[in-house]
PDB file of all heavy atoms in Angstrom:
ATOM      1  N   VAL A  28      14.952   5.522 -27.056  1.00 94.00           N
ATOM      2  CA  VAL A  28      16.372   5.609 -27.411  1.00 94.00           C
ATOM      3  C   VAL A  28      16.525   5.683 -28.930  1.00 94.00           C
ATOM      4  O   VAL A  28      17.306   6.480 -29.462  1.00 94.00           O
ATOM      5  CB  VAL A  28      17.151   4.392 -26.844  1.00 94.00           C
ATOM      6  CG1 VAL A  28      18.565   4.338 -27.401  1.00 94.00           C
ATOM      7  CG2 VAL A  28      17.171   4.443 -25.319  1.00 94.00           C
ATOM      8  N   ASP A  69      14.385  12.885 -20.901  1.00 94.00           N
ATOM      9  CA  ASP A  69      13.166  12.788 -21.717  1.00 94.00           C
ATOM     10  C   ASP A  69      12.566  11.386 -21.693  1.00 94.00           C
ATOM     11  O   ASP A  69      11.823  11.001 -22.593  1.00 94.00           O
ATOM     12  CB  ASP A  69      13.469  13.162 -23.181  1.00 94.00           C
ATOM     13  CG  ASP A  69      13.986  14.590 -23.303  1.00 94.00           C
ATOM     14  OD1 ASP A  69      13.852  15.343 -22.317  1.00 94.00           O
ATOM     15  OD2 ASP A  69      14.513  14.941 -24.375  1.00 94.00           O
ATOM     16  N   GLY A  88      32.429   3.144 -37.160  1.00 91.00           N
ATOM     17  CA  GLY A  88      32.184   3.772 -38.450  1.00 91.00           C
ATOM     18  C   GLY A  88      30.916   3.284 -39.127  1.00 91.00           C
ATOM     19  O   GLY A  88      30.532   3.784 -40.178  1.00 91.00           O
ATOM     20  N   CYS A 138       0.953   2.648 -20.701  1.00 95.00           N
ATOM     21  CA  CYS A 138      -0.114   2.313 -19.756  1.00 95.00           C
ATOM     22  C   CYS A 138      -0.453   0.838 -19.840  1.00 95.00           C
ATOM     23  O   CYS A 138      -0.002   0.140 -20.729  1.00 95.00           O
ATOM     24  CB  CYS A 138      -1.355   3.152 -20.041  1.00 95.00           C
ATOM     25  SG  CYS A 138      -2.288   2.655 -21.504  1.00 95.00           S
ATOM     26  N   MET A 162      -1.142 -12.081 -31.706  1.00 97.00           N
ATOM     27  CA  MET A 162      -1.477 -10.767 -32.247  1.00 97.00           C
ATOM     28  C   MET A 162      -1.928 -10.869 -33.697  1.00 97.00           C
ATOM     29  O   MET A 162      -1.344 -11.621 -34.489  1.00 97.00           O
ATOM     30  CB  MET A 162      -0.259  -9.830 -32.159  1.00 97.00           C
ATOM     31  CG  MET A 162      -0.141  -9.145 -30.810  1.00 97.00           C
ATOM     32  SD  MET A 162       1.230  -7.976 -30.784  1.00 97.00           S
ATOM     33  CE  MET A 162       2.572  -9.039 -30.247  1.00 97.00           C
ATOM     34  N   ALA A 220     -19.480  -4.743  -7.746  1.00 97.00           N
ATOM     35  CA  ALA A 220     -19.915  -3.414  -8.157  1.00 97.00           C
ATOM     36  C   ALA A 220     -21.423  -3.284  -8.068  1.00 97.00           C
ATOM     37  O   ALA A 220     -22.156  -4.256  -8.288  1.00 97.00           O
ATOM     38  CB  ALA A 220     -19.462  -3.143  -9.594  1.00 97.00           C
ATOM     39  N   LEU A 368       0.547  16.730   6.307  1.00 94.00           N
ATOM     40  CA  LEU A 368       1.966  16.429   6.104  1.00 94.00           C
ATOM     41  C   LEU A 368       2.223  15.814   4.731  1.00 94.00           C
ATOM     42  O   LEU A 368       3.358  15.490   4.398  1.00 94.00           O
ATOM     43  CB  LEU A 368       2.465  15.462   7.180  1.00 94.00           C
ATOM     44  CG  LEU A 368       2.230  15.870   8.631  1.00 94.00           C
ATOM     45  CD1 LEU A 368       2.622  14.744   9.566  1.00 94.00           C
ATOM     46  CD2 LEU A 368       3.002  17.122   8.964  1.00 94.00           C
ATOM     47  N   TRP A 571     -19.193  -6.803  33.314  1.00 96.00           N
ATOM     48  CA  TRP A 571     -18.281  -5.726  33.706  1.00 96.00           C
ATOM     49  C   TRP A 571     -17.530  -6.121  34.976  1.00 96.00           C
ATOM     50  O   TRP A 571     -16.314  -5.984  35.082  1.00 96.00           O
ATOM     51  CB  TRP A 571     -19.072  -4.432  33.913  1.00 96.00           C
ATOM     52  CG  TRP A 571     -18.240  -3.278  34.378  1.00 96.00           C
ATOM     53  CD1 TRP A 571     -17.930  -2.972  35.685  1.00 96.00           C
ATOM     54  CD2 TRP A 571     -17.581  -2.302  33.571  1.00 96.00           C
ATOM     55  NE1 TRP A 571     -17.134  -1.856  35.730  1.00 96.00           N
ATOM     56  CE2 TRP A 571     -16.899  -1.420  34.442  1.00 96.00           C
ATOM     57  CE3 TRP A 571     -17.509  -2.082  32.189  1.00 96.00           C
ATOM     58  CZ2 TRP A 571     -16.158  -0.333  33.983  1.00 96.00           C
ATOM     59  CZ3 TRP A 571     -16.766  -0.996  31.739  1.00 96.00           C
ATOM     60  CH2 TRP A 571     -16.096  -0.136  32.618  1.00 96.00           C
ATOM     61  N   VAL A 626     -16.013  21.159  18.176  1.00 65.00           N
ATOM     62  CA  VAL A 626     -15.634  22.552  18.335  1.00 65.00           C
ATOM     63  C   VAL A 626     -14.364  22.542  19.196  1.00 65.00           C
ATOM     64  O   VAL A 626     -14.297  21.813  20.178  1.00 65.00           O
ATOM     65  CB  VAL A 626     -16.752  23.308  19.078  1.00 65.00           C
ATOM     66  CG1 VAL A 626     -16.416  24.780  19.209  1.00 65.00           C
ATOM     67  CG2 VAL A 626     -18.079  23.096  18.392  1.00 65.00           C
ATOM     68  N   ALA A 683      13.112  11.949  25.962  1.00 95.00           N
ATOM     69  CA  ALA A 683      13.915  10.755  25.674  1.00 95.00           C
ATOM     70  C   ALA A 683      14.991  11.066  24.635  1.00 95.00           C
ATOM     71  O   ALA A 683      16.121  10.574  24.722  1.00 95.00           O
ATOM     72  CB  ALA A 683      13.017   9.629  25.187  1.00 95.00           C
ATOM     73  N   ASP A 729       1.172  -2.369   9.845  1.00 97.00           N
ATOM     74  CA  ASP A 729       2.045  -3.533   9.727  1.00 97.00           C
ATOM     75  C   ASP A 729       2.404  -3.886   8.285  1.00 97.00           C
ATOM     76  O   ASP A 729       3.245  -4.760   8.055  1.00 97.00           O
ATOM     77  CB  ASP A 729       1.420  -4.738  10.443  1.00 97.00           C
ATOM     78  CG  ASP A 729       1.492  -4.567  11.956  1.00 97.00           C
ATOM     79  OD1 ASP A 729       2.033  -3.534  12.407  1.00 97.00           O
ATOM     80  OD2 ASP A 729       1.021  -5.462  12.677  1.00 97.00           O
TER      81      ASP A 729
END
Side-chain angles (χ1 to χ4, degrees):
V28 170
D69 299 346
C138 74
M162 275 184 271
L368 306 173
W571 177 273
V626 182
D729 288 359

